[in-house]
Amino acid sequence: MKEELIEKAYEVAKERYAAIGIDTEEAIAKLQNIQLSLHCWQADDVAGFENQGGDLTGGIQATGNYPGKARNIDELRQDVLKAASMIPGNHRLNLHEIYGDFKGEVVDRDQVEPKHFQSWIDWAKENNMKLDFNSTSFSHPKSGSLSLANPDKGIREFWIEHTKRCRAVAEAMGKAQGDPCIMNLWVHDGSKDITVNRMLYRELLKDSLDRIFEVKYENMKDCVESKVFGIGLESYTVGSNDFYIGYAASRGKIVTLDTGHFHPTESVADKLSSLLLYTPEVMLHVSRPVRWDSDHVTIMNDDTLDLCKEIVRCDALGKVHIGLDYFDASINRIGAYVIGSRATQKCMLLALLEPLKTLREYELNGQGFERLALLEECKSLPWGAVWDEFCLRNGVPVGESFIAEVEKYETEVTSKR
Ligand code: RNT
Ligand code: ZN
């Protein structure tokens, strides 16, 4: 597409938005500052570099066998940079513990140290990317159905040690980058069939978490992520939504809302304004559940739009961390990164272009018709021209031109793996 055409369209859009009291330049500036935390695990179907070829366990699944997944740390880094080159703005990378640079050594989970992530810290600095982190309780011989909530003392201690060490890794990352590393804690703990010990496991998890969080750090922030159920763990999840809301609210921790971790008709967007009253910040795992927590690639659907609008309506841009969490192994994986990231950014842009002041006036005046009419009209305002301009200014492919770019990378790089 010709640059002049994009700019011309933007000038028209700018005027059109100005007519409803919206400054598109302000929206663009805000969008520029929103950093997504790109999930490293989309590049290799959550395999990591520890148990090459090992099965993905813990009730999650990456389905599909599209060729070209990253097989080692170099390939993964190359893929992430390629994806980032097609996503406007500057973003973060979210690592799981199993993606450490173990240099061929067997480093068990209770042995992990910041040094195993030194090359990531260096790489991130070179590439102007900040890092976030996750402990990894799945895909391990000691994972089973219970990790931090395991009544077996040995197994529970193992995972407590792992998670404590992960916090130390996150602290090292945060310190090195001069910006807090957000560490997410999700454990799959649950039961396939009816359990008569719901309380016992939750007491154990609560106690494990208290022990894990004993050390106070300055350069990392802790998040806890709930879930409804995992595959093979359908009857009970120790770390349910209620469990973690209570935990986080009483301990000043951050709740991670994964958009695939609630009942299908539950609105995740609606949770922000409640959580933000009682917990300091919120972490998001933006995903796309299709009938279950299927982790399809995020798209610009009503769920994602509602979520982004709520962030803006709650005036919480500085308090909500936006991470992505999906793993589709059935399509080009770099393309999947780009689609999901850009879709999330488009939703954020639409949220930033909302004539909130007028909408709120209507609402307070009891003008329900006017509110609904303006909300509907906003859907067809020329936000696409603002998006194109944003991409152009960021030097990334505009519109569908990234398709050819992904295809080229596939021909030259991923198809040869
Ligand atoms: C699983 C959780 C969790 C994982 C990642 C890999 O249901 O969403 O966040 O997807 O940690
Ligand atoms: Zn998640």
Side-chain angles (χ1 to χ4, degrees):
M1 219 192 302
K2 286 216 185 74
E3 281 189 19
E4 307 93 83
L5 207 64
I6 295 165
E7 272 154 15
K8 225 164 134 184
Y10 174 65
E11 286 311 316
V12 176
K14 191 175 170 180
E15 272 190 44
R16 181 68 186 85
Y17 273 105
I20 57 158
I22 292 293
D23 180 354
T24 53
E25 285 300 320
E26 203 182 305
I28 286 178
K30 284 187 179 158
L31 189 60
Q32 193 72 49
N33 279 331
I34 298 175
Q35 298 201 327
L36 302 177
S37 191
L38 304 178
H39 55 314
C40 75
W41 50 94
Q42 161 58 37
D44 74 338
D45 314 336
V46 213
F49 312 129
E50 176 194 50
N51 302 308
Q52 306 258 3
D55 284 340
L56 176 59
T57 68
I60 51 177
Q61 258 182 24
T63 54
N65 55 358
Y66 197 83
K69 75 172 175 182
R71 295 164 300 181
N72 53 51
I73 210 161
D74 292 330
E75 289 180 355
L76 190 127
R77 285 175 183 166
Q78 190 186 3
D79 289 358
V80 166
L81 289 180
K82 184 67 205 176
S85 76
M86 291 176 270
I87 303 166
N90 178 242
H91 302 286
R92 305 169 71 92
L93 182 65
N94 199 4
L95 291 172
H96 245 284
E97 188 271 350
I98 49 173
Y99 289 78
D101 190 357
F102 303 117
K103 307 201 188 296
E105 259 181 66
V106 178
V107 178
D108 208 351
R109 307 264 174 103
D110 63 343
Q111 298 299 317
V112 68
E113 288 179 53
K115 72 173 184 199
H116 300 118
F117 288 86
Q118 191 55 49
S119 78
W120 273 117
I121 292 173
D122 298 339
W123 176 88
K125 193 170 183 191
E126 269 161 42
N127 293 289
N128 192 26
M129 248 187 193
K130 304 249 158 53
L131 298 172
D132 292 321
F133 199 52
N134 299 256
S135 51
T136 314
S137 66
F138 50 84
S139 307
H140 185 278
K142 290 196 170 76
S143 292
S145 305
L146 296 165
S147 62
L148 290 177
N150 205 312
D152 179 312
K153 196 159 181 290
I155 295 179
R156 189 159 82 98
E157 292 300 323
F158 176 86
W159 291 113
I160 290 174
E161 182 63 25
H162 166 72
T163 320
K164 280 184 170 175
R165 282 170 176 258
C166 284
R167 291 184 76 233
V169 172
E171 172 69 9
M173 288 175 172
K175 196 164 182 200
Q177 66 199 15
D179 186 62
C181 169
I182 312 297
M183 182 177 137
N184 186 51
L185 190 161
W186 167 72
V187 292
H188 56 278
D189 294 39
S191 174
K192 180 183 170 80
D193 217 327
I194 299 164
T195 167
V196 293
N197 278 316
R198 285 172 189 266
M199 185 59 119
L200 170 71
Y201 303 126
R202 290 195 170 124
E203 277 169 355
L204 288 169
L205 180 56
K206 175 171 169 256
D207 179 71
S208 296
L209 294 174
D210 280 347
R211 288 180 51 199
I212 287 163
F213 296 138
E214 259 164 20
V215 181
K216 302 287 167 231
Y217 288 119
E218 309 234 301
N219 300 290
M220 58 89 65
K221 293 180 181 179
D222 295 297
C223 310
V224 286
E225 180 182 7
S226 72
K227 180 162 176 162
V228 175
F229 77 95
I231 297 180
L233 302 164
E234 291 86 353
S235 299
Y236 169 70
T237 301
V238 187
S240 60
N241 182 39
D242 317 64
F243 176 90
Y244 280 125
I245 287 182
Y247 191 85
S250 60
R251 307 292 194 277
K253 297 293 180 189
I254 300 172
V255 168
T256 296
L257 296 174
D258 183 309
T259 59
H261 289 194
F262 296 88
H263 293 284
T265 57
E266 208 172 335
S267 163
V268 179
D270 181 53
K271 298 177 188 303
L272 287 183
S273 50
S274 298
L275 272 181
L276 287 168
L277 289 178
Y278 302 104
T279 58
E281 295 166 50
V282 168
M283 171 74 193
L284 296 175
H285 273 185
V286 187
S287 192
R288 177 165 53 108
V290 176
R291 300 184 187 278
W292 66 289
D293 181 28
S294 59
D295 289 298
H296 279 65
V297 180
T298 297
I299 55 170
M300 199 179 171
N301 57 13
D302 285 347
D303 295 341
T304 319
L305 268 168
D306 286 347
L307 186 63
C308 294
K309 284 181 185 163
E310 264 318 293
I311 299 175
V312 175
R313 290 176 187 172
C314 291
D315 196 18
L317 278 175
K319 288 192 198 161
V320 178
H321 307 277
I322 310 174
L324 303 177
D325 184 12
Y326 52 80
F327 23 99
D328 190 337
S330 74
I331 61 172
N332 182 298
R333 293 173 184 79
I334 288 90
Y337 266 130
V338 183
I339 293 171
S341 308
R342 287 172 65 126
T344 307
Q345 290 179 294
K346 285 178 190 168
C347 291
M348 280 309 310
L349 177 62
L350 256 167
L352 292 164
L353 291 171
E354 196 171 59
L356 205 49
K357 199 168 159 278
T358 312
L359 287 164
R360 286 193 166 145
E361 272 167 23
Y362 284 151
E363 182 163 321
L364 290 178
N365 292 336
Q367 293 170 280
F369 148 71
E370 289 83 349
R371 179 188 56 193
L372 190 59
L374 186 54
L375 281 169
E376 279 302 288
E377 285 307 306
C378 284
K379 293 177 179 171
S380 53
L381 284 176
W383 63 270
V386 184
W387 169 251
D388 286 349
E389 174 72 11
F390 181 66
C391 290
L392 186 69
R393 288 188 194 177
N394 275 279
V396 303
V398 176
E400 73 286 355
S401 63
F402 78 89
I403 299 174
E405 188 82 24
V406 171
E407 286 175 338
K408 184 161 171 270
Y409 186 72
E410 175 162 60
T411 310
E412 291 171 359
V413 182
T414 52
S415 66
K416 299 201 172 121
R417 288 179 184 163

